[in-house]
Amino acid sequence: RTLYFGHGDETVNSAAKRPLVEQFFSSADAGNRATLLRQMGARYVWFGWLDRAAQAVAPDGIPGLTLIFRNAAASVYQFTP
């Protein structure tokens, strides 16, 4: 599977992608977050324990984002622009 951003050293062009990912996980503006997902070409969003520990904003309520899986460790959302 292709990832937009994973482990920094293993992500192609990670220095350019990191600011968008950080903006996505820190923004409370649902419309802006949907725009970022379209810009990244994302189809799925993983929100895991590390994201919660970093106090990232949960992706609930983003237009076009649907929860498709959740357990104690992570939630996975599907994005339909």
Side-chain angles (χ1 to χ4, degrees):
R1 305 265 176 195
T2 301
L3 297 174
Y4 181 78
F5 192 87
H7 299 286
D9 293 342
E10 298 171 358
T11 299
V12 175
N13 204 13
S14 65
K17 293 176 179 179
R18 184 180 201 92
L20 291 176
V21 173
E22 288 176 350
Q23 184 180 356
F24 174 81
F25 281 106
S26 65
S27 175
D29 181 336
N32 180 56
R33 295 175 88 185
T35 298
L36 289 169
L37 289 174
R38 280 191 292 279
Q39 184 177 349
M40 290 184 255
R43 293 182 49 217
Y44 297 93
V45 174
W46 171 279
F47 188 75
W49 65 270
L50 188 58
D51 304 307
R52 289 191 301 270
Q55 298 182 343
V57 178
D60 301 318
I62 296 173
L65 206 62
T66 305
L67 178 68
I68 59 171
F69 175 82
R70 176 176 280 157
N71 68 15
S75 299
V76 179
Y77 300 81
Q78 183 174 16
F79 182 62
T80 308

